[in-house]
Amino acid sequence: MIKYVIHGGKPLTGTVEISGAKNAALPILAATVLADGPCRVENIPSISDVSICTDILYNLGADVTVVDRHTLMIDPTRVNSFTVPSDLARSMRASYYFIGSLLGRMGQAKMTTPGGCDFGVRPIDQHIKGFEMLGAKWSMDRGMLCFSADSLVGGHVYLDVVSVGATINVMLAAVKARGLTVIENAAREPHIVDLANFLNTIGADIMGAGTDVIKIRGVSYLPGGSYSIIPDQIEAGTYMVAAAATKGDVTLKNVIPKHLESITAKLQEMGVEVEEGDECIRVRYVGELQKANVKTQPHPGFPTDMQPQITTLLCLAKGTSLVTENVFDNRFKYVDELRRMGANITVDGRVAVVEGVGGFQGAPVKAVDLRAGAAMLIAGVVATDRTEIEDIHHIERGYENVLEKFRKLGADIKRIDVPDDMRLAKAL
Ligand code: UD1
């Protein structure tokens, strides 16, 4: 078993370069299937979710050329399959973006239900409703979702919940549909704008991304093109919180400060100094952290993907804070792990009551999902003794070079491989 071993207690200082956004890269890679010519995509994060996405592209028949560590050239002209391999589909949530892009390209798509982080029930009824509004039919055949359409025709889609995934999937299916598609109550996350910008760069006609009404005028031909992905809002937010939690002073490079506003505002409310530059941001601990209440919301609200990290920081603040999770129904599973490190948190449904405890003690813990793993990392670099984090594959799904980046900021963190027979010997 591979785990991270951290000896914390030192302030993080220095600079960290933020990678391309995972949640933009994955739909953009899926969207290349729609193109009629090669697409060059730059600033792709080197993380395991991206590898899964490129494996899916290979399996569908696309040519994927690695130009360099962060640049791929994808030529989808020979895509000839509409079935996403089940093992790949189950290993990440974003695999479902291939339903939208394959439907848009071939009028058919087949895939098992997607995997991804477990935050309770994660229905895809809004995706399905959107596809149906464009004329697709669907059925379930031995665990496989099967979609087909003789021809997709633009339609009016009102999403009942603000869903990032459904907004993206309907956009993908609509790009080559005949006529105008209007998505109302659309999600407004920066990665939705980035996907629309990518699609427009390769020949699509999309307006309104970033607002709650997106209009997509169908086109029949997408010549392809070259595009560079935005920086990762959540990776940046994670390092911002880590800087504050360790009483450090960290400058983040390659960020869009506008995308970080809700995180910046919350840190400032807690007494952290945040200084914005053009494409950088400096986060500095300047004195005792103050309690704050956090309510997660779709963008531009406080992101649910930062909820475990900010909850970890609130453990170090003076007083009692409330964290309300408004996006997912079960996103506090990591709290048990944080308690092992000394946190005093009570969860009641969607609300966590966080009592400030001043510090953490090192302990063996698990990364129960991707952002929960980030929270464990933050608690680990704060704790003055040894922390071991298991199930780190969750962390490596979404954070590029995380060990090197933390080490460069002064953290003592190693990735160790404990052979299974040694674990058994210890247990006996
Ligand atoms: C995406 C992100 C995830 C982030 C989330 C919210 C990716 C790969 N994942 O997940 O990191 O936490 O956005 O910012 O980008 N819902 C329905 N029916 C649907 C779809 C969603 O009821 O058909 C509900 C969900 O259960 C949830 C809410 O809508 O309560 C928001 O989910 P959604 O925005 O769709 O999240 P994902 O796209 O799965």
Side-chain angles (χ1 to χ4, degrees):
M1 172 194 288
I2 299 178
K3 35 174 136 168
Y4 291 162
V5 176
I6 309 172
H7 290 95
K10 277 185 277 172
L12 298 182
T13 55
T15 59
V16 59
E17 190 86 26
I18 298 306
S19 300
K22 167 179 104 61
N23 287 351
L26 302 176
I28 285 175
L29 289 175
T32 60
V33 163
L34 288 161
D36 296 284
C39 301
R40 180 185 162 99
V41 187
E42 298 169 8
N43 204 30
I44 299 178
S46 180
I47 51 174
S48 61
D49 268 11
V50 162
S51 309
I52 295 167
C53 218
T54 53
D55 281 356
I56 295 175
L57 286 166
Y58 276 124
N59 275 276
L60 297 175
D63 286 329
V64 183
T65 310
V66 179
V67 180
D68 61 44
R69 189 173 157 80
H70 296 120
T71 307
L72 294 175
M73 182 68 97
I74 296 132
D75 184 348
T77 44
R78 285 194 287 187
V79 166
N80 56 7
S81 165
F82 55 81
T83 305
V84 181
S86 294
D87 53 334
L88 298 174
R90 278 205 209 93
S91 38
M92 69 166 182
R93 190 84 193 149
S95 56
Y96 60 17
Y97 294 141
F98 284 93
I99 302 178
S101 61
L102 286 167
L103 248 184
R105 180 189 176 99
M106 304 173 91
Q108 294 198 72
K110 203 169 168 183
M111 198 186 103
T112 186
T113 45
C117 294
D118 178 8
F119 311 142
V121 185
R122 294 180 79 177
I124 59 163
D125 57 305
Q126 298 303 304
H127 303 234
I128 293 174
K129 174 174 119 170
F131 297 144
E132 284 179 330
M133 300 302 275
L134 303 188
K137 297 198 175 355
W138 76 283
S139 60
M140 182 71 98
D141 180 19
R142 282 168 293 161
M144 296 292 273
L145 293 157
C146 305
F147 294 86
S148 65
D150 293 335
S151 75
L152 290 172
V153 181
H156 202 103
V157 181
Y158 189 97
L159 297 176
D160 299 335
V161 288
V162 180
S163 159
V164 171
T167 303
I168 288 177
N169 242 337
V170 177
M171 272 168 74
L172 292 172
V175 164
K176 285 185 154 179
R178 201 154 25 92
L180 179 71
T181 298
V182 180
I183 309 175
E184 287 198 67
N185 200 25
R188 292 177 282 169
E189 269 64 7
H191 32 286
I192 289 185
V193 179
D194 210 38
L195 171 67
N197 288 341
F198 165 75
L199 286 166
N200 284 341
T201 300
I202 65 166
D205 183 356
I206 302 174
M207 277 172 53
T211 75
D212 59 1
V213 181
I214 302 178
K215 294 183 179 170
I216 305 131
R217 214 169 279 281
V219 296
S220 55
Y221 185 76
L222 296 173
S226 183
Y227 191 75
S228 182
I229 288 171
I230 52 166
D232 197 304
Q233 173 202 32
I234 305 300
E235 189 200 15
T238 301
Y239 285 101
M240 289 169 78
V241 168
T246 58
K247 304 185 176 173
D249 180 355
V250 172
T251 299
L252 290 80
K253 290 193 168 162
N254 185 33
V255 294
I256 300 176
K258 176 93 189 138
H259 293 170
L260 300 169
E261 274 175 348
S262 62
I263 303 163
T264 297
K266 197 49 71 180
L267 289 179
Q268 286 171 333
E269 192 183 323
M270 291 180 71
V272 180
E273 193 176 274
V274 184
E275 215 179 294
E276 291 181 3
D278 275 349
E279 288 179 3
C280 63
I281 207 159
R282 180 178 175 192
V283 179
R284 200 153 68 97
Y285 177 90
V286 284
E288 193 171 39
L289 297 170
Q290 303 303 313
K291 66 181 174 147
N293 295 335
V294 175
K295 295 180 181 184
T296 66
Q297 294 287 353
H299 191 79
F302 191 89
T304 173
D305 284 356
M306 282 299 300
Q307 185 257 99
Q309 301 91 313
I310 201 79
T311 302
T312 306
L313 186 65
L314 290 168
C315 290
L316 304 171
K318 190 174 162 215
T320 306
S321 305
L322 294 182
V323 179
T324 309
E325 173 54 56
N326 287 313
V327 179
F328 290 107
D329 57 14
N330 192 1
R331 202 170 185 173
F332 285 119
K333 286 187 181 159
Y334 67 90
V335 161
D336 283 343
E337 301 300 310
L338 221 44
R339 281 197 196 109
R340 293 162 68 86
M341 299 183 72
N344 181 356
I345 304 174
T346 317
V347 177
D348 183 7
R350 286 179 177 244
V351 180
V353 181
V354 185
E355 302 288 350
V357 288
F360 292 113
Q361 299 112 44
V365 291
K366 286 191 169 132
V368 297
D369 62 53
L370 168 57
R371 307 303 172 186
M376 296 307 127
L377 270 174
I378 294 167
V381 289
V382 170
T384 44
D385 42 4
R386 178 184 170 105
T387 297
E388 292 187 7
I389 309 179
E390 285 182 14
D391 292 345
I392 55 159
H393 60 278
H394 286 297
I395 300 174
E396 295 180 356
R397 278 187 43 220
Y399 288 90
E400 176 172 348
N401 274 347
V402 65
L403 291 199
E404 289 75 3
K405 289 186 185 186
F406 267 96
R407 274 195 208 126
K408 192 170 164 250
L409 296 173
D412 177 351
I413 174 165
K414 288 190 195 74
R415 189 180 197 270
I416 61 160
D417 193 354
V418 186
D420 282 349
D421 48 353
M422 258 178 73
R423 286 172 51 227
L424 195 62
K426 255 191 184 172
L428 293 172

